[in-house]
C-alpha cells in the first residue's frame, strides 16, 4: 500500500488561498469547467504529402478555476474552501489547512424590524449568514430578500462598517426606502448623492448603500480595501465575471463577511465558480414552489399564443441573420405586436395590471404608439428614462392608477411590483434566467391576488422558433404551463 498523498493549503486572506501541488491534485476536478476555445482554420499535410485545409472550429476544453498548471501549486478564491474541503474528504489523499478566515461578531442576537416578524425561512437565512459569514442566499423575487438583508445588518450596524451594493438606480432607491422603513440609518452613494471620501474614512460604524458604478468610482479615489467589515451584494449573479466591476472590487476587498442575494444562480459553471469564489456557496435557499405553498408567492401560470407565419414578413428579413430576423419578424411584426396589445387590453378590461417586457427600445416605442392610438396611457421605462419618471411609473403601477407599462431589461430584475397580475414577455429569447426574472416582477402576493399570469408567444420563424421551443421546455420543467 502506498502512502497517502499529503499536501497543504494556506488561507492567505478573505480573497485568496494557496495550495501546494500535492493538495491541488486532490481537489482539482472539483474546480473544473468547460470553455469553448476558437481554433482558426489551417493547412495540414497528410502522410502522403497532400495539403488539406482544417476548417475553423470551436473546441470544448477543460479548464480549472485555480492558477498554475495541473501539476503545479496555485492560488484559488477563499469562497471555494467548502468545495475544496469536500473534495479532499472524498479523495484518497489528505491535506492540512493552515490560517483562519477572520470573523465578524454580531453586537446583538435580537433585532426589531418595526413590527415585522421574520418567517421561519427568513430566520434560517439570517442565522446561517451570521454563522457561515460568507455565502449566497438564493430566494425568489418577492420573497423578502431585502428584509433578510435588513435583519442581518441590524445585528451588526452599531459597531461595524457595512456596504450594500446594487447595480441600478431603481434598486438603490428601493433599498434606501426599505432601510428607512425598517429603521436602518444609512448613507447613499449614487443617483446624484455624493459622499466626501476624506470624512467617510473616519466613520467607525456606517451602513453605505450604493450602486456598484458609483462605488467603483469612489473606490478609485480612496484606499478602503480594508475599511468594510461586511459586504452585501444584491442580484449577486452580476458578480459572475472577474473582470466585471463587482469582480474587480471583490478581488481587492478584504471584508471578512460577504453575503450575496439572488433569485437565479448562473447555470454556466465558470460563472458559478466565480460567484462562489468571491462570496461562497449557497447557504440558504427557498424554492418557488415552497414560496407558493406557504402563501408568500403568487402561483405562476403561462399562457402561450401562436404567432401566425406570414411569408411577406419573413421576406423583409433579407439578410436572414438572427438580428435581421429579430428586427423584422419580432420587433416590426405588425401581427405579433397587435397580439401583444390585444392581450394586454383584454387584461386591462378585467381590471388587471400589466407589465410588457421588451429587449429593444425601438420595440417599446412601437408598442407605446399602438397603445396611444387606442387612447390608453402606457409609459415606457428604459435605460435613459429619468429616475423621477421611473419612480412615478413604479408607484403608479403599485397603486393601480396605471394599468399597463412597458419596460426593457432595466426593470427585468430587482423591482418588485406586487400589484402586477400579468407579465407579457414580448422580447422572445431563450435563457432560463431571463424567464424567471421576468416572472419575478410580480411574484409577490397582494390582496385578492394568488396567481400571476405570464403571456408568451410561439414564433414560427428561423431562430425565433428555436427560442420559443427552448422557453416552452423551461415552462414545462418549472410546471408553469396550464
Amino acid at each position: 500500500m502506498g502512502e497517502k498523498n499529503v499536501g497543504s493549503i494556506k488561507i492567505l486572506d478573505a480573497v485568496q488561498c494557496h495550495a501546494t501541488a500535492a493538495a491541488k491534485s486532490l481537489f482539482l476536478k472539483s474546480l473544473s469547467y468547460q470553455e469553448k476555445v476558437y481554433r482558426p482554420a489551417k493547412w495540414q499535410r497528410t502522410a502522403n504529402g497532400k495539403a488539406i485545409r482544417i476548417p475553423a472550429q470551436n473546441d470544448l476544453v477543460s479548464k480549472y478555476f485555480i492558477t498554475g498548471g495541473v501539476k503545479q501549486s496555485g492560488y484559488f478564491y477563499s469562497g471555494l474552501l467548502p468545495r475544496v474541503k469536500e473534495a479532499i474528504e472524498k479523495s484518497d489523499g489528505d491535506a492540512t489547512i493552515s490560517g483562519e478566515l477572520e470573523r465578524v461578531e454580531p453586537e446583538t442576537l435580537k433585532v426589531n424590524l418595526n413590527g415585522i416578524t421574520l418567517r421561519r425561512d427568513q430566520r434560517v437565512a439570517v442565522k446561517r449568514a451570521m454563522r457561515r459569514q460568507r455565502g449566497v442566499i438564493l430566494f425568489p423575487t418577492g420573497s423578502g430578500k431585502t428584509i433578510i438583508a435588513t435583519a442581518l445588518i441590524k445585528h451588526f450596524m452599531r459597531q461595524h462598517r457595512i456596504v450594500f451594493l446594487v447595480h441600478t438606480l431603481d434598486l438603490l432607491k428601493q433599498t434606501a426606502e426599505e432601510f428607512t422603513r425598517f429603521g436602518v440609518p444609512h448613507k447613499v452613494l449614487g443617483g446624484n448623492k455624493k459622499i466626501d471620501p476624506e470624512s467617510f474614512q473616519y466613520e467607525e460604524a456606517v451602513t453605505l448603500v450604493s450602486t456598484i458604478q458609483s462605488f467603483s468610482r469612489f473606490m478609485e479615489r480612496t484606499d478602503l480595501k480594508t475599511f468594510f467589515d461586511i459586504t452585501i451584494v444584491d442580484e449577486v449573479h452580476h458578480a459572475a465575471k472577474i473582470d466585471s466591476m463587482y469582480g474587480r472590487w471583490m478581488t481587492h476587498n478584504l471584508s471578512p463577511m460577504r453575503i450575496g442575494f439572488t433569485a437565479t444562480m448562473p447555470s454556466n459553471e465558470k460563472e458559478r465558480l466565480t460567484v462562489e469564489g468571491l462570496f461562497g456557496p449557497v447557504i440558504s435557499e427557498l424554492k418557488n414552489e415552497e414560496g407558493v405553498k406557504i402563501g408568500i408567492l403568487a402561483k405562476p401560470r403561462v399562457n402561450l399564443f401562436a404567432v401566425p407565419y406570414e411569408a411577406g414578413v419573413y421576406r423583409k428579413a433579407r439578410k436572414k441573420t438572427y438580428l435581421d430576423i429579430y428586427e423584422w419578424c419580432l420587433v416590426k411584426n405588425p401581427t405579433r405586436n397587435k397580439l401583444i396589445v390585444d392581450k394586454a387590453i383584454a387584461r386591462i378590461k378585467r381590471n388587471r395590471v400589466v407589465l410588457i417586457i421588451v429587449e429593444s427600445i425601438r420595440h417599446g416605442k412601437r408598442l407605446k404608439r399602438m397603445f396611444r392610438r387606442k387612447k390608453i396611457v402606457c409609459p415606457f421605462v428604459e435605460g435613459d428614462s429619468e429616475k423621477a419618471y421611473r419612480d412615478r411609473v413604479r408607484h403608479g403601477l403599485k397603486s393601480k392608477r396605471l394599468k399597463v407599462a412597458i419596460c426593457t431589461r432595466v426593470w427585468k430584475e430587482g423591482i418588485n411590483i406586487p400589484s402586477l397580475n400579468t407579465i407579457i414577455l414580448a422580447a422572445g429569447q431563450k435563457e432560463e434566467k431571463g424567464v424567471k426574472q421576468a416572472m419575478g416582477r410580480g411574484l409577490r402576493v397582494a390582496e385578492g391576488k394568488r396567481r400571476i399570469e405570464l403571456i408568451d408567444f410561439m414564433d414560427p420563424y428561423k431562430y425565433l422558433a428555436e427560442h420559443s421551443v427552448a422557453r416552452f421546455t423551461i415552462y414545462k420543467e418549472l410546471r408553469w404551463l396550464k
Side-chain angles (χ1 to χ4, degrees), residues 94-148:
D94 196 9
T96 60
I97 299 177
S98 61
E100 289 185 358
L101 288 171
E102 187 183 347
R103 291 184 60 83
V104 183
E105 295 305 325
E107 306 131 16
T108 176
L109 296 178
K110 290 185 179 180
V111 297
N112 185 301
L113 286 178
N114 295 352
I116 297 290
T117 302
L118 294 181
R119 302 186 310 268
R120 181 183 178 279
D121 55 278
Q122 292 173 318
R123 291 198 303 274
V124 168
V126 172
K127 287 178 181 178
R128 286 182 182 174
M130 291 169 66
R131 184 173 71 249
R132 300 281 289 274
Q133 296 278 299
R134 56 193 304 164
V136 174
I137 294 174
L138 184 60
F139 271 46
T141 301
S143 60
K145 294 193 292 292
T146 306
I147 293 176
I148 297 172

Side-chain angles (χ1 to χ4, degrees), residues 386-448:
E386 291 185 0
K387 183 171 170 290
Y389 177 75
R390 294 186 198 183
D391 289 342
R392 284 199 305 273
V393 175
R394 181 163 61 93
H395 288 299
L397 291 171
K398 279 187 174 183
S399 65
K400 299 186 179 182
R401 292 194 308 273
L402 272 175
K403 293 297 183 184
V404 62
I406 304 166
C407 73
T408 59
R409 64 173 60 248
V410 72
W411 269 10
K412 202 172 183 180
E413 59 187 19
I415 296 300
N416 296 322
I417 306 173
S419 58
L420 287 180
N421 307 100
T422 301
I423 310 288
I424 298 182
L425 190 59
Q429 304 188 331
K430 63 178 180 178
E431 60 167 2
E432 181 174 350
K433 182 175 73 175
V435 168
K436 287 183 175 179
Q437 288 170 346
M439 185 64 96
R441 297 318 97 229
L443 276 177
R444 196 188 295 271
V445 295
E447 187 178 346

Side-chain angles (χ1 to χ4, degrees), residues 315-338:
R315 276 197 300 270
K316 290 179 180 178
R318 294 177 183 176
K319 296 178 183 177
K320 299 298 185 283
T321 62
Y322 170 69
L323 291 177
D324 194 35
I325 288 172
Y326 191 89
E327 180 73 12
W328 287 100
C329 300
L330 191 146
V331 172
K332 294 180 177 178
N333 187 335
T335 303
R336 190 183 196 274
N337 287 336
K338 185 176 183 300

Side-chain angles (χ1 to χ4, degrees), residues 355-358 364 367-368 371 378-381 404-408:
L355 183 66
I356 302 169
I357 298 177
V358 298
L367 291 171
K368 182 178 179 179
F371 278 106
C378 180
F380 175 36
V381 175
V404 62
I406 304 166
C407 73
T408 59

Side-chain angles (χ1 to χ4, degrees), residues 184-189 195 200 203 206-210:
V184 175
H186 61 277
K187 295 180 182 293
V188 177
L189 178 63
I195 290 176
F200 185 78
E203 296 274 5
V206 65
T207 298
L208 175 67
V209 185
S210 176

Side-chain angles (χ1 to χ4, degrees), residues 141-157:
T141 301
S143 60
K145 294 193 292 292
T146 306
I147 293 176
I148 297 172
T150 303
L152 185 60
I153 288 169
K154 283 200 140 188
H155 283 284
F156 297 91
M157 67 183 186

Side-chain angles (χ1 to χ4, degrees), residues 61-72:
V61 176
S62 289
K63 293 193 173 184
Y64 303 96
F65 208 68
I66 184 171
T67 65
V70 172
K71 295 183 179 180
Q72 297 175 321

